[in-house]
């Protein structure tokens, strides 16, 4: 495929494919991404974890099963799954779950996510107590 035909095809395909909502990514601070350095999939390439366009049936089931075997022994599986859920990752196997399996999971409420993240400063996970702030309805 020629370079111009390839870039046209890529642009056309990418306009139809939902991408990860980058506004949900945790930021550039290293501590947000450190878990990835311990991942069992590190260095294995993406083909085992992301299906090619049009893959269906037994081929897809076998690829998903191979990815899940890697995830089953991964020390950071929970962090990986949490990342995929938080960013609403639309593709691939993350934390041992396919995109379909992740969509079927109940989404944690904002309060539960906040509480799971731990205290954030004065007043705990929800922040300072502002119930007595002047000019604010109670």
């Amino acid at each position: 495929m020629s370079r111009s035909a390839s870039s046209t095809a890529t642009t056309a395909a990418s306009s139809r494919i939902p991408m990860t909502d980058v506004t949900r990514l945790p930021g550039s601070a290293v501590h947000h991404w450190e878990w990835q350095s311990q991942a069992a999939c590190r260095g294995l390439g993406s083909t085992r974890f992301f299906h090619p366009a049009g893959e269906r049936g037994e081929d897809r089931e076998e690829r998903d099963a191979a990815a899940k075997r890697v995830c089953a022994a991964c020390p950071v599986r929970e962090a990986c799954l949490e990342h995929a859920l938080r960013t609403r990752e639309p593709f691939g196997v993350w934390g041992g779950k396919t995109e379909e399996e992740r969509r079927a999971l109940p989404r944690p409420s904002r309060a539960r996510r906040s509480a799971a993240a731990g205290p954030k400063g004065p007043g705990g996970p929800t922040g300072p107590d502002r119930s007595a702030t002047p000019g604010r309805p109670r």
Side-chain angles (χ1 to χ4, degrees):
M1 184 178 283
S2 74
R3 185 177 179 101
S4 63
S6 174
S7 64
T8 302
T10 300
T11 302
S14 65
S15 66
R16 295 187 306 260
I17 299 173
M19 301 300 290
T20 299
D21 182 354
V22 295
T23 62
R24 297 181 191 285
L25 293 176
S28 61
V30 173
H31 69 277
H32 291 298
W33 304 99
E34 279 183 314
W35 62 269
Q36 291 182 358
S37 67
Q38 299 169 14
C41 62
R42 188 168 177 85
L44 294 181
S46 63
T47 56
R48 186 177 315 193
F49 301 91
F50 296 91
H51 66 83
E55 182 183 58
R56 302 268 188 271
E58 193 173 309
D59 289 339
R60 185 164 180 181
E61 289 171 14
E62 288 174 9
R63 186 196 41 74
D64 285 344
K68 289 178 177 186
R69 282 191 296 274
V70 172
C71 296
C74 185
V76 295
R77 187 173 88 193
E78 288 182 34
C80 180
L81 180 58
E82 170 59 32
H83 167 78
L85 294 172
R86 184 179 59 251
T87 61
R88 297 181 187 163
E89 180 61 53
F91 302 108
V93 174
W94 291 79
K97 304 281 185 200
T98 65
E99 54 266 33
E100 292 85 7
E101 292 167 334
R102 290 192 308 275
R103 278 193 293 269
L105 292 174
R107 297 227 327 245
S109 72
R110 186 173 284 169
R112 278 190 289 167
R113 281 193 309 263
S114 185
K120 301 253 189 238
T126 58
D129 179 10
R130 295 202 168 127
S131 60
T133 303
R136 247 188 106 127
R138 293 181 191 203

